[in-house]
């Protein structure tokens, strides 16, 4: 599980990650492998274009737990 999400400055959720990306403050983005591709693909492409590292391979439940919330999340990001 991504321990960085529990200890570092972060945002959780697709909308929050988009906002952080637009502000140029995203350091690293986590995308759930079981999330709806309709939601994650545009975000993934934007991260690639901006040169932001993307981490996949975790489920929504695992990302949510790692980020300290009680529900799953499709995306989370570490801030600069």
């Amino acid at each position: 599980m991504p321990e960085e999400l529990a200890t570092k400055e972060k945002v959780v959720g697709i909308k929050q990650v988009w906002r952080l990306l637009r502000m140029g403050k995203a350091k690293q983005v986590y995308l759930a492998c079981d999330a709806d591709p309709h939601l994650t693909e545009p975000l993934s492409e934007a991260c690639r274009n901006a040169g932001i590292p993307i981490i996949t391979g975790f489920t929504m439940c695992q990302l949510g737990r790692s980020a300290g919330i009680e529900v799953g999340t499709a995306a989370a990001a570490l801030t600069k």
Side-chain angles (χ1 to χ4, degrees):
M1 292 237 254
E3 288 82 25
E4 302 90 26
L5 287 177
T7 59
K8 305 221 176 166
E9 294 291 319
K10 65 187 172 289
V11 296
V12 179
I14 291 279
K15 289 180 183 179
Q16 295 297 325
V17 172
W18 269 114
R19 185 175 295 133
L20 193 69
L21 190 61
R22 282 189 208 108
M23 292 186 329
K25 295 186 178 182
K27 178 179 175 182
Q28 187 170 27
V29 173
Y30 293 84
L31 296 176
C33 60
D34 60 344
D36 182 358
H38 178 71
L39 297 173
T40 59
E41 279 303 315
L43 184 56
S44 179
E45 185 175 333
C47 289
R48 281 193 299 275
N49 291 339
I52 307 295
I54 304 164
I55 308 296
T56 58
F58 299 103
T59 65
M60 291 177 64
C61 186
Q62 288 172 323
L63 281 182
R65 248 184 279 138
S66 292
I69 61 174
E70 294 189 20
V71 295
T73 185
L78 299 178
T79 61
K80 289 185 181 177

